Amino acid sequence: MIRFLSTPLRKEYIFLVLAPFLVWVTAFWGYLSGQRALVVDAVSYYEHIGFFTDNIIRGVYPLWNPAWCDGAPYNFFLRRIGEANPFYWVAAGLKLAGVPQVHAYLVFLAFYYLLALTAFWLIARLLFRDRLASTGAFLLLLFSGWGTQLFFNYIVILFVPLAWFFYFLLAFAREGKKHQFLGIFFTLAMALTTYIPFFFLTIVGSFVMLFLLFFFKEAASFSSRIMLFVSRHKGLACACALFLVTACVPAADFYHESRQGEFVLPGRHAATDTSSVVAVAMKSVVIGDLLAQGYFDRTFMDHASLIRGEFFISYFFFLACLVTLVTPLTRRTAFLLANIVILGLISLTEASPLYKFLYDHVFFFRYMRMVSYFFWLAVLPMAVILVMDQVRAFIKEYAGTGNSVLLFLVIGAHLAFGAWALTREGVAVTSWAAVGCSLIFFSAVVLGCRHRNILLLVLMLAIVVQPFQLARYVTGNGEWRQGDIGAYNPAVVRGFSYSRTFVPDNNAGAKDAFIRSMQGSLYYATRWYADVFTHVPSQDREAFTAHKLYLIDATVPYDAPDAGFYDRLAGAWRGAANIAFLPRQEVPLTALRSFSGGPSRAEAIGPEHAAIQIRSFDVNTLRLSAHLDRPRFLLWNDAYHSGWHVYINGREDKVLRADHAFKGVWLPAGSSDVVFRFSSPLRYAAGYLFLLLFAVILGVIIVLARREGLLAAQEDA
Amino acid sequence: MGTDRFMVAVKWLFTRVGILYIGLFVALAFLVDAKAAASRVRIRRLNDARPSMSALVSLARGDVSPQAMDWKPYRSYFDLVLRYMPQEWTTRMFLGVAEYYQGEPGKAAVDLRASADAFPPLFWNCYNTAVLAFERGDMSLALAYLERAVQIPPPMAASAARSSVLYRQIMSSGNFDIDIEKDAASAREDVYLLIVAARYYAKDFAGARSVALQVIAMPEIRDKEPFYFYAGASSLSLGNAAEAMPLLGACLKQKSRNPWAYRYAGQILVAAGDAREGQALLHTAEELGKDASSGFPYSERVHLRFL
C-alpha cells in the first residue's frame, strides 16, 4: 500500500527525488532562468499555452486566434495542448500573481517535468520494492537527455498523463483503491483531449497486447478484480465511463471539423489519400522518424557539442546492460524488451515492415508524424526500468557471492567499455568517473558490501556526475534568448489591434518569385486564406491587411478564384481600392451594392475614427458601434469561417466572405450596435464546463487519495 | 559427469538475459533493413553537415575573398561526402580548393590532380591543377593539364558540373545567377594565358610566341594585352627586337599595367637610339613599382576557381 503521506515516503521523496531534481535544475539553469532560448516546437507550445492561459485568466475561452495568419480557428491548438489539463492553472496562477510570462511558463515546465518523473519514480517503487533500484531508475531518467526535450518540443505534455496512467494502473492492480481507478480514467481522458492521443493509444495498446501474451493468468486475474471492483462501485464506474465518453467529445468534434475543409495544413496533408486535413503523408512521417533525428550522434563522442534534443545518459546504463547479461531471464525482462523492440521498430518507419503494415491497416497511424517520440515516451523509460530491474536481479542473485569469474566479468566489461570509449573523440572527462563508480558499485555488490547507503551513494555518483557535465554542455551550447520567446504577443488578447506596422520591401519585385516559392510553407490557416497566401503577392496582401477594418462603398461579385481574379484582388489591395469582392455563389443579390459617390480608396478605420468605435473585444468577439450617413460595407481583415455570426442591433445578419479570405457585413445608415461572435454560447458553456470537470475530477482524486491513504495508515496502526 | 556439467552450463546460459539479447539481435537482423537505415542515417548526416552554398556563389562572383571565408565547415562537409562517396570527384576538387585556402597547398595539389585524372570533363579540376603547378613553377605539369583543359568544350564542362550533386546544391542557392557554360567559355582565355606564360617561363620562347600569336588572331578573345606582351617578350628573347617592339607597343596601347612590357619596350628603344622615349618607358616601369626581373604579372587573374 502506497502511504504517500507517511513520513518514510515523504523523506524518501524529499531526499531522493526533490533534492536530485534541484541538482538537475542547476544543471539546466540557463534554460530554466530564461537566459537560453526555447526552440522549435517548445516555442509553439509556449505560444499556445500562453495564449490560452492569458485568455482564461480574463474569463475568455479562446476558440479563435486573430493573430494567427490574420485569424484562424483555435480548436486545432486547443487539441494540441489539451486545454482541459488543470495543471495549466499553475502557469495561469503564476501570471495572475504577477510573475512575468516567460518565467511563469518555465516554472510550469519544470514543475510539470517533476510531476512526470514523480509518476516514474512511483512506478519504479511499485515494481522494484527496492529503494536502491527505484532511486537508480529515477536518476537515470532524470539525468538523461530526456530533460532537454522540455526546451525543444512538447512531449512532456504527452508524458505526464502517460506516466501517471501506468502508475495508477499498476497501483490499482496491486491495491484496488478508488482514487487509483479514477486516476486511470482521468489520465486516459487527459490523453484523449489532445489531437494526438494516438501515441498514448499505441504505447498502451502494445503494453496490453504483450501483457496478455506474457502474463495471461495475471491478466485474467486482474480482469476479474476489475469486474469485482466495478460491481462493488457501480456509481463510480458509471461516472468514470461517462467522464471518458465526455472526454472523447472534443477530439471527435475536431476530427469532424478536420473533414469539413475550412482549415488546411498543407505541409502535413500533402500526398495523403484521406479527407481529413490532419492526416499525414508517409513521406512526412519518415522525416519524423528515429533515423532522421540524429539523437544518438553524440551519445558516445563529441560531448562538448551536445545540444538540446540529443540523447545522452550515464555510461552506467550501458555498463549495467553489459554486466547484467548474466542475470536470470524473467518474464518481466522479456515483456519489457518486447515492448521496447516493437515501439523501436515503429519509430524506424521505412527501415522495418512493421510501421508500413500499421500505417496501412490501423487508421490512427495516419495521424502521427513524429514517431521518433516513441523513443522518449516509452522506449527510454522502459529501457531504464529494464536495466534497473536487471541491476536489482543482479544484486539479488550475486550479492556477496565473491564469485571470481563474475568479478572478472565485471572488471572485464568495464575495461572493455573503457577501452572502446577511449577510441571515441571528445568524451567528457566525467565519463571516466561514471565508469569508475560503476566498477566500484558492481564489484562492491559481488564482494558483499553490506552498507546499502554506501552502495546507493556510489550508484548516485555513477549515474549523476557524467550527465551533470553533459547537461552543462547542452546549456552552454543553447542559443541565447533574444527578447520574447516566439511571435506570441499578449497584447493580442488584451485589446483590438486596428493596424500593424508594414514596412514595404523595395526589392519585392525582384524577389517575388523567391517569395512566392516560400509561400507554400504555410502550416495552418483557413482554406481561403491559404489561397490568397499562395496566389497574391505578399507585399500586396500585407499592405492591405495592415489595417484590420475598412469601410467600403462597393461590393462586386466574382465567380471562380482563378489567376485573373487574384490579379484583380492584388491590384485592389495594392491601391486600397474602395471595393470588396464577394463570391457570387454564396451571397444574395442584395449584398452586391455600390455607392457611386464614394472615394476611390477604402476608408481605413483607426482608434479615433468618427463613425466606428470599438466597444469591446476579446479573441472570440468584437463589439462596435457605427454611426453612418449611408449604408457601407464593413470589411474586417480577419479570416472568414462559417462559425462566425454577426448581430446588428440585436438581430442576426449574414457574415459575408469578402475578398475571398476575409469577412464583412453591410451596415445600415444611422446608428448600429454590431457584434461579431465566433461559435455559439452553448459551445463556450461546454468549454468552461469541460475545464471545470477536469479540475473537479483531479480534486476528487487528491481527496480520495488522502482519505484512502489515511484510512490505510489507521488500518496499519 | 562431464555431460551433466555441460548440460547444467547450457541450461544456465539459456536462462540468462544475455541469450534473449542474442536472440533479439538475430531477429532484428531480419526485421530491420540495415542498409535502408544506414542509407537514411548517411543522408541525414550529409544534410545536417551541409554549409551555406550561397557563400560559395558569392566567392565565385568575387563578392568575397577566399581568405575571408571560413573554410572549416566546407572542408568538413567535403570530407564527409567523400567518406560516404569516395568516387565523388567533383567534391574532391572542392576539397582541394578548401585545403589550398586553409594553407595546405600540398594536399590541395594531390586532391585536385586526383580529381582531374579521374574526371577531366569537369574542366575546373584540370584548370586548378594547372594553376597550382604553375604557382609551384612546375611548368611541364601545368602545361599537361592546361592542354587537357583547353580540349574540353564549354558545353561539356557545363554538363559535367550539372551532373554533380555539389554543383546542383550550389546552383539551387537563392543568389545563384551564373551561366556556367559562359563561365567555362570565358575561363578558356585564362587557360590560353597560362599556356603562353608556362611556355615562356619554361623558356620555350618559340612555343610561347607561336601560341600567343595564334590567340591574338582569335576574334573571341576579349583581352589580348597579355598575349601581345608574351608574344613581344618571346620575340625579344629570341633576339628579334624588330618583331618584339610592335607587339609590345600593341600591349602598351591597351593601357597595360604590366611593368615588364614598359621595361622591355624601353630597353628596345634605348638600344635603338631613342633614349628619351625609352627612358620614359623605363621610368613608367619603375613607377608601376614591381621588380621587373621576376614574378608573374597577371597573377591576380589566375587563381583557383570552380565557376
Side-chain angles (χ1 to χ4, degrees), chain B residues 37-55:
Chain B
S39 167
R40 294 275 319 285
V41 170
R42 188 179 74 187
I43 290 169
R44 180 188 53 73
R45 284 188 176 154
L46 285 170
N47 285 334
D48 287 349
R50 202 171 101 172
S52 160
M53 294 300 167
S54 57

Side-chain angles (χ1 to χ4, degrees), chain A residues 520-580:
Chain A
S521 61
L522 197 62
Y523 177 65
Y524 166 79
T526 60
R527 87 157 190 258
W528 304 280
Y529 187 86
D531 287 343
V532 300
F533 187 84
T534 307
H535 296 105
V536 176
S538 56
Q539 287 286 289
D540 299 328
R541 173 176 48 81
E542 286 177 17
F544 189 68
T545 60
H547 293 280
K548 277 294 171 188
L549 293 171
Y550 286 93
L551 281 174
I552 283 173
D553 290 304
T555 51
V556 298
Y558 71 95
D559 296 301
D562 53 16
F565 164 70
Y566 289 120
D567 285 341
R568 280 191 295 148
L569 185 64
W573 283 355
R574 202 176 305 131
N578 189 6
I579 190 170

Side-chain angles (χ1 to χ4, degrees), chain A residues 177-507:
Chain A
K177 296 295 176 192
K178 283 187 282 194
H179 77 271
Q180 294 154 351
F181 185 80
L182 188 54
I184 291 168
F185 284 87
F186 178 76
T187 51
L188 205 49
M190 272 184 65
L192 289 173
T193 57
T194 67
Y195 88 106
I196 35 171
F198 309 119
F199 287 103
F200 185 99
L201 287 176
T202 306
I203 294 166
V204 171
S206 163
F207 179 92
V208 167
M209 266 184 5
L210 289 170
F211 190 80
L212 286 169
L213 192 64
F214 285 91
F215 299 98
F216 184 76
K217 277 188 189 165
E218 290 84 350
S221 161
F222 180 51
S223 303
S224 307
R225 289 209 305 278
I226 291 178
M227 293 294 115
L228 188 62
F229 181 91
V230 167
S231 66
R232 285 181 183 168
H233 302 90
K234 291 192 183 68
L236 177 64
C238 286
C240 286
L242 194 61
F243 172 57
L244 202 60
V245 168
T246 310
C248 293
V249 169
D253 170 56
F254 175 70
Y255 179 72
H256 171 73
E257 192 182 325
S258 74
R259 296 180 78 97
Q260 299 307 303
E262 286 204 64
F263 71 83
V264 291
L265 289 120
R268 277 178 71 101
H269 185 60
T272 65
D273 55 4
T274 66
S275 58
S276 171
V277 295
V278 198
V280 189
M282 183 73 159
K283 65 178 182 186
S284 295
V285 179
V286 169
I287 294 168
D289 79 356
L290 204 58
L291 295 170
Q293 303 311 307
Y295 290 152
F296 310 106
D297 285 352
R298 296 191 180 93
T299 304
F300 298 107
M301 59 186 279
D302 196 17
H303 289 154
S305 302
L306 272 166
I307 58 172
R308 69 295 178 275
E310 290 183 330
F311 172 68
F312 61 86
I313 198 166
S314 169
Y315 279 1
F316 174 82
F317 175 86
F318 304 104
L319 288 161
C321 282
L322 278 176
V323 169
T324 60
L325 286 175
V326 295
T327 53
L329 179 58
T330 62
R331 274 190 302 164
R332 186 151 80 184
T333 306
F335 165 72
L336 285 169
L337 209 48
N339 268 286
I340 290 166
V341 165
I342 283 178
L343 294 169
L345 284 175
I346 290 174
S347 61
L348 292 178
T349 61
E350 288 180 328
S352 143
L354 178 60
Y355 182 81
K356 185 73 175 55
F357 174 81
L358 292 170
Y359 186 90
D360 290 339
H361 297 94
V362 180
F363 84 95
F364 62 73
F365 273 82
R366 290 162 188 257
Y367 298 92
M368 288 192 288
R369 187 163 60 105
M370 295 298 295
V371 291
S372 57
Y373 289 167
F374 281 120
F375 173 78
W376 301 104
L377 292 172
V379 171
L380 178 61
M382 285 188 186
V384 166
I385 293 282
L386 173 67
V387 163
M388 287 316 298
D389 196 33
Q390 293 302 111
V391 169
R392 188 185 62 89
F394 182 90
I395 295 171
K396 187 180 170 192
E397 184 83 1
Y398 300 115
T401 56
N403 187 322
S404 54
V405 173
L406 189 60
L407 205 55
F408 177 76
L409 172 73
V410 166
I411 294 169
H414 284 76
L415 284 176
F417 186 87
W420 175 77
L422 272 173
T423 64
R424 308 282 96 190
E425 281 182 24
V427 172
V429 67
T430 48
S431 308
W432 309 115
V435 174
C437 288
S438 173
L439 177 60
I440 293 169
F441 175 80
F442 284 107
S443 304
V445 164
V446 173
L447 292 172
C449 173
R450 296 180 192 283
H451 301 283
R452 294 285 280 192
N453 287 342
I454 292 177
L455 272 180
L456 181 60
L457 183 65
V458 173
L459 180 68
M460 289 171 86
L461 285 172
I463 292 174
V464 173
V465 168
Q466 179 201 13
F468 186 87
Q469 184 184 16
L470 302 188
R472 299 295 294 168
Y473 284 141
V474 170
T475 306
N477 292 330
E479 295 90 337
W480 290 101
R481 182 164 70 92
Q482 310 281 351
D484 291 331
I485 298 176
Y488 170 57
N489 182 355
V492 75
V493 166
R494 290 182 206 132
F496 184 78
S497 173
Y498 288 89
S499 63
R500 60 170 178 251
T501 308
F502 168 66
V503 178
D505 183 347
N506 293 328
N507 293 318

